[in-house]
């Protein structure tokens, strides 16, 4: 029969075997069919025939079967059959060869159940009988490691190093003397887990007088991950050199990855360059792959892609790993062209688009903004593994296509693919983005159902999902339910951000304190969230603490963080500190990343504090410093122009925007129209508005700005006509949709024009007509309108009925009382306003003016004294006038201007003339 | 503010809007210093006759300055626009303000 096999007459041999099955024939046939025909099914049939003929298979039959399985890439199936039959027949493993083959097969098949059974058979004196040699020892350890049999049940076992260490001890107790192979396997097993134990074992092995070989080094190199382990990695490298081991491509690749993971890209490059010129072969490709990957990891994307090109030019054929490493390089810089080139190379090689390669392609197209192509790769993928689904769902979620991401998530489950932790994270982020609380809650239940461990990341994802969907109570509940030791910086950051979003700033700051107390390292995100919680002068002390903690932690202050600090100090009213941060961290660091954000923050902060001229000066400095202004810069600087009537500068900024070719979006258009309106250039405002309508780029902000401008200029008819157009159901070309803010502009226009009843009518019907309930600002407009029209009684009743606990309406009423000299009502309004904001200077000044108008000087003095006592500051009046393109600023009683004396003389003269004419 | 009976041809400082308790002479002098008047005087001095002026103020214009501006616009024959924290006041050459005394 073995002759027939040799002559490739397998069918005849099979016929012969069917007539009289025997072990020897089975062994030959099983091997022959697998080797010569690649047909495992016949091999299995042969085995079945043997079993049904009541002949016990022996070690040789099993070995043949296992080898056949390995050849036909169906090892898992065969391992299952063999292990089952050994158990069923009660066979004993005592011949070392079959033992080795079986153990190796279990390991390679990653079959943990089989592995545990085999380990069970090899206990105690059985080990003695088998006489385990170094090779089998290594294979046994390797099996445990590959099958993940590292977790140990008992605490005691864990302390001793788990299942593997236990096995190793047992082997030694049975007289086994571990050689290099076993030691290396043992070290490799612990290195793969990133365990310190690997290094202890390495020392022990050296003490036993064994010299490590390249496999030992490969294992140890893989254990060096993270900058803290660079020293160890370097020591290994010199150890390798001393040992005289030739640094081949595999070792070079391992060294490159080690240096890359330890953050030393230069040494990685040295290793790469020191290797001999590459010849075609898996090893050489692996070395190149490692170097390209290292460059990508070090964010030297251009260099990575250059090396990729060089690799192709050298004549080396990139493999699937090369592509999977090069594609993220394209993703990180959004280089669609290069990405497409690599895609066509992959197509040219005829590589199947599956698994990680497919995922890398999808992610590349997604990151480069070509969703269509990402979807088509997904559709073409030959086999959709979890990683491919994850890539596609992740791309959709990142591109704010939350609905589509969730649809795909459903489809994935329908097709029977189990979502893993990464899928769940992407799906939760999608729910948060589209505010779909229902779906988010469903996914949360799925997590509970599947008993997934809620770790730091998953916890953070759940918290932000609930927070984004507005369910803050549930967000906090998730956080509270997490185990204390799983709460890392991600979940703390998420909960602090949720509290800030809820508007519960003091709770957010308390949580920040708790996080520090729990000794969880705050990250940049933590600091940004904590800074954004500091909103009022009362929080200045806390804010300063956070600032000094940032300095203490040595967190580099880039433009973004500087911007957060500057905005925080401006909000808390400490403009001087904001300026200091700007000078030290922004102006001096022209090259720091996101530096423009710092400039934007100081311009916006100064404008908000009324230091408009200073804001404009800093904008001029920004242009001089050749910092590229962005959209936010313009949105920050234009209001400063408007506030002080700097029309010339405003126009210059407008032409700068045009020169840069920056598209004028809804917000920028609104800011420009507002600037023109506030500087008095109605024509420019109108023509920009018309232009934006013509090009259909008019969003609701642009309409609001134009209506507001008409209203401020008391061109009420035009304001209302525009509003009519916006509110009419006739199709317009532009995208503008009515919102609550535009109604404020309309109401304010009504108020200026004395159209009290129109204003009342709008507020009464806005919910029903436009679908927005009136808010405090809308109500304040009505009170303002009633007040100006001297319908003070109604105004007071209205405030009491609709917005009794809001500051602005009472201040508005107070202003109206001043116009009409109603001292008694003013007193009541002031009391209400003061109860709500004791430190508001404007309220006090208004009241003092009302007393003055009524000639009640004792009361004026009383208010002034109280203000001093309460340290409430009065905002000084500032007037600006633009003459010959330059804005001049004047304070009350100002004598600082260079022409001050002349101005005062001129006024005195004018005064005389006026008096003469008046009397 | 309601329409005043005072003729816009002449001007009488509205002394009661000044918050300090002092003599009428002192009040007159103090009124000179309101920031919008300083800005306005500067503008009148530094621009050719007939040039319209625009002034921007961060707070609300006080009634006295409003009266004074009306008068100055008429006296100098200039169009003067004042924007305060609330809205615009456009004064024409006749001393009429676009707010129609409706504040």
């Amino acid at each position: 029969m073995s002759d027939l096999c040799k002559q490739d007459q397998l069918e005849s041999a099979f016929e012969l075997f069917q007539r009289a099955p025997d072990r020897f024939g089975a062994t030959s046939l099983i091997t022959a069919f697998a080797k010569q025909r690649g047909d495992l099914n016949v091999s299995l049939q042969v085995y079945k025939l043997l079993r049904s003929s009541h002949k016990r298979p022996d070690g040789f039959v099993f070995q043949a079967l296992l080898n056949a399985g390995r050849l036909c890439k169906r090892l898992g199936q065969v391992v299952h059959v063999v292990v089952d039959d050994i158990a069923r027949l009660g066979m004993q493993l005592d011949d070392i060869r079959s033992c080795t083959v079986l153990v190796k097969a279990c390991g390679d098949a990653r079959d943990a159940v089989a592995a545990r059974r085999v380990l069970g058979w090899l206990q105690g004196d059985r080990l003695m009988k088998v006489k385990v040699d170094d090779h089998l020892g290594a294979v046994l350890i390797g099996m445990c490691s590959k099958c993940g049999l590292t977790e140990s049940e008992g605490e005691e076992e864990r302390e001793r190093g788990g299942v593997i260490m236990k096995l190793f001890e047992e082997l030694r107790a049975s007289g086994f003397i571990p050689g290099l192979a076993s030691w290396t396997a043992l070290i490799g097993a612990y290195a793969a887990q990133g365990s310190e134990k690997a290094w202890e074992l390495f020392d022990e092995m050296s003490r036993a007088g064994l010299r490590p070989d390249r496999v030992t080094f490969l294992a140890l190199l893989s254990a060096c991950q993270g900058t803290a382990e660079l020293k160890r990695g370097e020591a290994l490298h010199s150890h390798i050199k001393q040992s005289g081991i030739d640094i081949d491509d595999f070792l070079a690749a391992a060294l490159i990855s080690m240096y890359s993971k330890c953050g030393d890209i230069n040494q990685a490059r040295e290793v790469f360059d020191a290797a001999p010129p590459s010849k075609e072969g898996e090893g050489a490709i692996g070395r190149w792959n490692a170097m390209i990957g290292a460059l990508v990891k070090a964010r030297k994307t251009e260099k990575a892609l250059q090396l990729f090109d060089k690799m192709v030019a050298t004549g080396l054929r990139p493999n699937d790993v090369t592509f999977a490493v090069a594609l993220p390089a394209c993703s990180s810089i959004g280089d669609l062209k290069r990405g497409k080139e690599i895609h066509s190379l992959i197509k040219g090689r005829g590589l199947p688009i599956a698994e990680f390669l497919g995922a890398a392609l999808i992610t590349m197209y997604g990151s480069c903004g070509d969703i269509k192509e990402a979807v088509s790769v997904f559709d073409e993928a030959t086999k959709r593994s979890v990683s491919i689904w994850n890539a596609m769902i992740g791309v959709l979620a990142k591109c704010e296509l939350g609905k589509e991401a969730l649809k795909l998530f459903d489809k994935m489950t329908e097709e029977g693919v189990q979502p893993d932790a990464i899928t769940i994270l992407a799906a939760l982020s999608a729910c948060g983005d589209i505010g779909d609380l229902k779906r988010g809650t469903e996914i949360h239940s799925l997590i509970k159902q599947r008993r997934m461990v809620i770790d730091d990341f998953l916890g953070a994802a759940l918290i932000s999902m609930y927070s984004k969907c507005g369910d803050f109570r549930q967000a906090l509940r998730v956080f509270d339910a997490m185990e204390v030791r799983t709460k890392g910086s991600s979940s703390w950051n998420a909960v602090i951000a949720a509290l800030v979003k809820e508007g519960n700033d003091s709770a957010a700051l308390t949580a920040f304190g708790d996080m520090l107390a729990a000794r969880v390292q705050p990250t940049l995100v933590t600091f940004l969230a904590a800074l954004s919680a500091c909103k009022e002068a009362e929080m200045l002390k806390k804010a300063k603490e956070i600032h000094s903690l940032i300095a203490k932690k040595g967190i580099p202050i880039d433009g973004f963080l500087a911007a957060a600090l500057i905005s925080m100090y401006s909000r808390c009213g400490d403009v001087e500190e904001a300026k200091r941060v700007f000078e030290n961290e922004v102006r001096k660091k022209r090259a720091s990343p996101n530096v423009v954000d710092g400039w934007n923050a100081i311009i916006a902060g100064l404008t908000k504090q009324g230091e408009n001229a200073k804001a404009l000066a800093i904008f001029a400095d920004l242009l001089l410093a050749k910092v590229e202004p962005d959209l936010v810069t313009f949105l920050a600087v234009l209001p400063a122009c408007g506030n002080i009537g700097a029309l010339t500068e405003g126009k210059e900024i407008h032409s700068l925007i045009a020169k840069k070719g920056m598209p004028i979006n809804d917000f920028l258009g609104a800011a420009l129209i507002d600037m023109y309106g506030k500087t008095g250039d109605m024509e420019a405002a109108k023509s920009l508005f018309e232009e934006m309508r013509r090009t259909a780029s008019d969003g609701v902000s642009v309409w609001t700005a134009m209506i507001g401008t008409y209203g401020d200029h008391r061109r009420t008819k035009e304001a209302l006509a525009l509003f009519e157009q916006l509110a009419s159901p006739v199709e317009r070309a532009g995208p503008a949709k009515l919102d609550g803010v535009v109604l404020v502009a309309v109401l304010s226009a009504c108020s200026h024009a004395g159209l009290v009843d129109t204003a009342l009518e709008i507020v009464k019907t806005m919910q029903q007509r436009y679908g927005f309930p009136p808010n405090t600002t809308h109500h304040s407009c009505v009170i303002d309108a009633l007040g100006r029209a001297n319908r003070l009684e109604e105004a007071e009743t209205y405030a009491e009925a609709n917005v009794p606990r809001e500051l602005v309406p009472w201040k508005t009423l107070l202003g109206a009382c001043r116009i009409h000299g109603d001292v008694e009502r003013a007193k009541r309004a002031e009391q209400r306003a003061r109860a709500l904001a004791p430190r508001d200077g404007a309220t006090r000044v208004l009241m003092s003016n009302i007393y003055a108008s009524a000639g009640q000087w004792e009361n004026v003095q009383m208010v002034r004294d109280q203000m001093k006592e309460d340290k409430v500051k009065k905002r000084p009046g500032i007037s600006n006038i633009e003459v010959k393109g330059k804005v001049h600023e004047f304070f009350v009683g100002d004598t600082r201007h260079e022409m001050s004396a002349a101005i005062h003389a001129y006024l005195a003269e004018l005064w005389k003339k006026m008096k003469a004419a008046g009397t | 503010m309601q329409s005043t009976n005072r003729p816009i041809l002449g001007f009488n400082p509205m002394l009661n809007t000044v918050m300090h308790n002092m003599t009428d002479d002192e009040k007159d002098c103090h009124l000179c210093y309101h920031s919008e008047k300083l800005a306005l005087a500067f503008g009148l001095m530094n621009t050719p006759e007939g040039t319209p002026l625009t002034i921007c103020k961060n707070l609300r214009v006080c009634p006295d300055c409003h009266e004074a501006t009306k008068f100055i616009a008429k006296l100098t024959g200039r169009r003067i626009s004042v924007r305060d924290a609330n809205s615009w006041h456009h004064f024409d050459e006749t001393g009429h303000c676009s707010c129609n005394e409706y504040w």
Side-chain angles (χ1 to χ4, degrees):
Chain A
M1 193 182 296
S2 104
D3 286 344
L4 284 172
C5 289
K6 271 182 199 149
Q7 290 157 18
D8 201 25
Q9 295 181 349
L10 301 188
E11 283 68 26
S12 316
F14 186 54
E15 259 173 49
L16 213 64
F17 174 77
Q18 273 178 313
R19 263 177 263 153
D22 71 330
R23 282 194 283 270
F24 184 68
T27 310
S28 307
L29 271 177
I30 288 169
T31 309
F33 270 102
K35 224 183 212 166
Q36 284 153 251
R37 300 285 151 84
D39 194 346
L40 184 70
N41 289 344
V42 184
S43 300
L44 283 169
Q45 211 181 328
V46 169
Y47 177 73
K48 253 185 211 156
L49 278 169
L50 181 77
R51 288 278 284 115
S52 55
S53 70
H54 302 290
K55 296 230 166 64
R56 276 173 81 92
D58 62 4
F60 293 106
V61 176
F62 285 137
Q63 279 180 49
L65 203 54
L66 289 167
N67 285 332
R70 189 185 295 276
L71 272 172
C72 300
K73 298 200 162 118
R74 280 159 71 181
L75 187 58
Q77 190 186 351
V78 177
V79 165
H80 195 78
V81 170
V82 170
V83 172
D84 255 12
D85 274 2
I86 291 174
R88 201 168 294 148
L89 298 168
M91 289 172 72
Q92 299 205 332
L93 298 171
D94 43 17
D95 115 74
I96 186 157
R97 267 202 62 162
S98 339
C99 240
T100 309
V101 172
L102 179 62
V103 169
K104 189 154 185 343
C106 289
D108 290 342
R110 309 276 192 279
D111 188 337
V113 178
R116 276 194 191 278
R117 286 168 93 174
V118 172
L119 273 185
W121 298 330
L122 287 174
Q123 296 249 321
D125 53 343
R126 202 104 308 267
L127 281 175
M128 303 272 243
K129 258 196 190 145
V130 177
K131 291 206 184 77
V132 178
D133 63 359
D134 187 32
H135 180 56
L136 180 54
V139 173
L140 268 169
I141 293 164
M143 176 187 74
C144 293
S145 173
K146 283 177 189 164
C147 297
L149 299 188
T150 48
E151 292 283 314
S152 38
E153 273 99 61
E155 188 68 35
E156 191 193 346
E157 212 176 60
R158 191 178 302 151
E159 255 169 41
R160 293 214 320 263
V163 175
I164 295 175
M165 228 31 230
K166 193 176 150 212
L167 171 70
F168 189 66
E169 299 300 336
E170 267 175 27
L171 279 171
R172 284 222 246 192
S174 72
F176 163 78
I177 298 163
L180 184 57
S182 307
W183 277 110
T184 299
L186 196 60
I187 292 167
Y190 285 98
Q193 296 172 49
S195 161
E196 271 301 303
K197 189 106 189 144
W199 302 98
E200 289 168 23
L201 290 164
F202 179 55
D203 287 344
E204 210 181 321
M205 171 183 130
S206 308
R207 277 199 300 276
L210 286 164
R211 289 184 57 185
D213 68 353
R214 53 190 292 280
V215 185
T216 324
F217 283 121
L218 284 173
L220 282 168
L221 284 172
S222 75
C224 301
Q225 304 197 353
T227 43
E229 313 237 300
L230 180 60
K231 283 239 152 59
R232 269 181 178 162
E234 284 173 333
L236 280 176
H237 191 179
S238 53
H239 198 153
I240 293 168
K241 285 184 195 157
Q242 279 163 18
S243 320
I245 293 172
D246 187 33
I247 297 184
D248 62 358
D249 282 322
F250 290 102
L251 210 42
L255 280 165
I256 292 166
S257 310
M258 178 277 290
Y259 279 124
S260 161
K261 282 178 190 150
C262 297
D264 191 337
I265 187 72
N266 294 331
Q267 291 209 60
R269 186 76 206 214
E270 277 168 29
V271 173
F272 178 77
D273 291 338
S278 298
K279 279 180 235 122
E280 178 73 46
E282 281 302 306
I285 294 168
R287 177 165 63 87
W288 282 77
N289 289 352
M291 193 61 228
I292 295 170
L295 288 167
V296 174
K297 191 166 180 287
R299 293 177 185 274
K300 298 187 184 278
T301 318
E302 261 316 313
K303 285 214 169 119
L305 289 171
Q306 279 166 14
L307 198 65
F308 176 81
D309 291 342
K310 201 174 156 199
M311 176 178 184
V312 178
T314 318
L316 281 168
R317 281 160 64 88
N319 62 11
D320 48 358
V321 178
T322 323
F323 293 126
V325 171
L327 284 169
C330 303
S331 309
S332 71
I333 51 167
D335 192 340
L336 184 60
K337 203 171 140 265
R338 294 296 291 269
K340 277 188 173 165
E341 281 167 19
I342 295 176
H343 190 182
S344 53
L345 272 176
I346 295 170
K347 279 186 195 156
R349 290 282 307 276
L351 287 172
I353 308 290
E355 294 289 337
F356 60 94
L357 192 52
L361 269 171
I362 292 168
T363 308
M364 181 277 292
Y365 279 118
S367 315
C368 297
D370 193 341
I371 310 273
K372 234 177 107 190
E373 199 55 41
V375 172
S376 90
V377 173
F378 177 75
D379 288 340
E380 281 165 21
T382 44
K383 199 180 143 238
R384 287 185 191 157
S385 60
V386 183
S387 54
I388 289 204
W389 284 97
N390 285 352
M392 195 63 238
I393 293 171
V395 160
L396 292 172
K398 281 220 181 72
C399 296
E400 295 178 2
L401 293 166
K403 268 197 188 135
E404 280 69 19
L406 289 175
K407 261 188 216 154
L408 212 60
F409 180 75
D410 291 339
K411 208 170 153 214
M412 173 178 179
T413 336
E414 275 164 28
E415 290 190 9
V417 183
Q418 276 277 10
D420 64 5
I422 296 170
T423 331
I424 301 265
L425 289 179
L428 284 174
S429 133
C431 293
D433 288 342
I434 57 171
D436 193 337
L437 182 61
K438 198 171 146 269
R439 290 301 312 266
T441 314
E442 277 169 25
I443 294 173
H444 191 181
S445 331
L446 180 74
I447 293 168
K448 285 183 197 155
Q449 235 175 54
R450 289 185 41 193
R451 292 169 193 249
M452 288 173 76
V453 181
I454 299 198
D455 64 1
D456 190 29
F457 297 112
L458 194 50
L462 279 166
I463 293 165
S464 18
M465 181 276 291
Y466 279 121
S467 149
K468 280 184 187 163
C469 296
D471 191 342
F472 298 105
R473 257 185 57 195
Q474 198 58 38
L476 285 181
R477 213 177 274 169
V478 170
F479 184 72
D480 289 340
M482 283 172 72
E483 257 188 75
V484 177
R485 61 188 176 88
T486 59
K487 289 179 188 173
S489 39
S490 298
S491 44
W492 277 101
N493 289 351
V495 84
I496 293 170
L499 289 165
V500 172
K501 189 162 188 294
E502 194 192 4
N504 201 343
D505 297 319
S506 56
L509 289 174
T510 311
F512 175 67
D514 293 346
M515 175 179 179
L516 297 181
R519 303 199 169 278
V520 177
Q521 279 301 318
T523 64
L524 178 62
V525 179
T526 323
F527 286 117
L528 290 174
L531 288 176
S532 70
C534 301
K535 290 198 184 111
E536 285 158 37
E538 279 76 30
M539 293 171 172
L540 189 59
K541 198 171 149 256
K542 188 81 203 169
K544 284 192 170 162
E545 280 172 29
I546 299 171
H547 187 177
S548 56
L549 194 61
I550 291 171
K552 219 175 87 189
K553 294 259 172 207
I555 291 184
I557 298 185
D558 68 346
F560 198 61
L561 184 52
L565 284 165
I566 292 166
S567 310
M568 175 274 290
Y569 280 122
S570 319
R571 277 197 307 272
C572 296
D574 193 342
V575 189
E576 290 314 309
E577 197 56 45
K579 284 183 194 162
R580 219 176 344 264
V581 174
F582 170 73
E583 293 299 336
N584 293 333
E585 307 293 348
V586 179
R587 203 198 279 276
K588 280 186 197 154
K589 298 183 180 172
R590 206 178 299 175
S592 92
N594 309 316
V595 75
V596 72
D597 291 325
W599 288 85
N600 295 349
I602 192 74
I603 292 170
L606 289 169
T607 305
K608 200 159 179 289
Q609 294 297 323
E611 294 196 27
N612 299 289
K614 177 85 184 150
L616 286 175
I618 287 187
F619 176 72
D621 290 348
L622 168 137
L623 297 179
L624 280 175
K626 301 251 185 293
V627 175
E628 194 68 16
D630 61 9
L631 175 66
V632 182
T633 320
F634 292 121
L635 291 179
V637 75
L638 285 168
C641 297
N643 289 344
I644 58 169
L647 176 59
T648 309
E649 193 148 4
K651 274 183 177 164
E652 280 168 13
I653 292 171
H654 190 176
S655 40
L656 181 66
I657 293 168
K659 215 175 86 190
K660 292 178 85 61
M662 184 181 281
I664 296 185
N665 69 7
D666 188 32
F667 298 118
L668 190 51
L672 280 165
I673 290 170
D674 198 57
M675 179 276 292
Y676 282 125
K678 289 227 164 71
T679 49
D681 193 342
M682 196 56 159
E683 288 315 305
K686 251 165 67 184
S687 93
L688 178 60
F689 177 68
E690 291 307 330
E691 170 67 25
M692 293 196 70
R693 279 184 81 176
R694 241 197 327 277
T695 53
S697 44
D698 51 324
V700 71
S701 306
V702 165
W703 284 75
T704 306
M706 197 61 227
I707 292 171
T709 296
Y710 277 133
D712 284 351
H713 284 265
R714 297 180 191 251
R715 288 165 67 164
T716 323
K717 260 191 213 146
E718 281 130 311
L720 292 179
L722 220 50
F723 176 63
E724 281 298 311
Q725 286 181 43
L726 180 68
S728 70
V730 183
E731 277 287 314
R732 278 185 322 277
K737 263 175 81 182
L738 201 124
D739 68 0
V741 187
V742 75
L743 285 168
V744 172
V746 175
L747 288 170
S748 156
C750 292
S751 173
H752 288 321
L755 302 176
V756 188
D757 296 319
T758 314
L760 276 168
E761 175 69 17
I762 290 175
V763 169
K764 229 180 262 167
T765 58
M766 65 188 271
Q767 164 82 65
Q768 169 214 338
R769 263 205 263 178
Y770 312 118
F772 308 100
N775 63 23
T776 309
T777 316
H778 298 121
H779 288 310
S780 298
C781 287
V782 173
I783 292 163
D784 189 48
L786 286 166
R788 281 167 196 258
N790 203 7
R791 287 159 68 172
L792 292 171
E793 174 89 51
E794 268 177 274
E796 192 179 0
T797 321
Y798 188 95
E800 195 65 72
N802 293 292
V803 272
R805 261 172 266 294
E806 296 290 340
L807 173 66
V808 179
W810 291 113
K811 265 172 84 174
T812 307
L813 181 63
L814 193 58
C817 292
R818 190 203 159 174
I819 297 170
H820 303 290
D822 189 338
V823 182
E824 285 313 304
R825 206 183 305 279
K827 277 187 193 164
R828 290 200 293 274
E830 196 240 356
Q831 251 173 17
R832 304 297 294 267
R834 206 152 71 162
L836 292 160
R839 301 184 54 82
D840 187 62
T843 310
R844 309 285 188 98
V845 174
L846 257 174
M847 197 62 223
S848 147
N849 286 351
I850 290 166
Y851 284 134
S853 301
Q856 298 179 12
W857 302 109
E858 315 79 58
N859 286 335
V860 172
Q861 197 56 47
M862 181 195 73
V863 174
R864 288 165 58 81
D865 291 347
Q866 267 181 8
M867 281 176 74
K868 249 184 220 158
E869 209 172 286
D870 298 349
K871 289 185 185 147
V872 176
K873 275 191 197 130
K874 180 191 170 192
R875 253 177 104 180
I878 306 169
S879 291
N880 294 278
I881 185 163
E882 188 183 275
V883 173
K884 297 185 188 106
K886 189 170 179 285
V887 176
H888 297 260
E889 182 185 73
F890 296 91
F891 281 80
V892 188
D894 208 343
T895 53
R896 299 169 314 156
H897 197 275
E898 49 183 298
M899 291 182 64
S900 186
I903 293 168
H904 285 199
Y906 183 91
L907 273 174
E909 192 57 37
L910 203 60
W911 209 247
K912 265 187 213 152
K913 280 188 201 163
M914 292 192 328
K915 281 205 112 172
T919 41
Chain B
M1 195 183 78
Q2 281 172 311
S3 182
T4 51
N5 298 323
R6 197 178 304 117
I8 56 170
L9 291 163
F11 176 73
N12 211 341
M14 298 170 74
L15 300 182
N16 62 354
T17 62
V18 189
M19 61 186 269
H20 305 284
N21 185 8
M22 44 191 169
T23 65
D24 279 4
D25 276 354
E26 279 170 341
K27 281 184 208 166
D28 271 6
C29 181
H30 187 81
L31 283 168
C32 306
Y33 294 101
H34 259 189
S35 65
E36 50 265 62
K37 287 210 196 72
L38 294 174
L40 186 53
F42 178 79
L44 289 167
M45 290 162 67
N46 290 285
T47 51
E49 259 184 46
T51 315
L53 297 174
T54 302
I55 290 163
C56 292
K57 189 177 180 187
N58 64 335
L59 306 177
R60 280 188 78 161
V61 168
C62 82
D64 177 72
C65 284
H66 193 259
E67 280 303 303
T69 311
K70 281 201 292 196
F71 186 79
I72 293 169
K74 186 174 167 58
L75 190 74
T76 58
R78 300 240 204 171
R79 277 183 290 129
I80 299 169
S81 295
V82 179
R83 198 204 72 226
D84 67 5
N86 207 292
S87 75
W88 280 92
H89 295 269
H90 296 296
F91 301 88
D92 65 17
E93 299 90 331
T94 67
H96 176 259
C97 177
S98 62
C99 76
N100 287 322
E101 307 304 315
Y102 189 83
W103 280 48

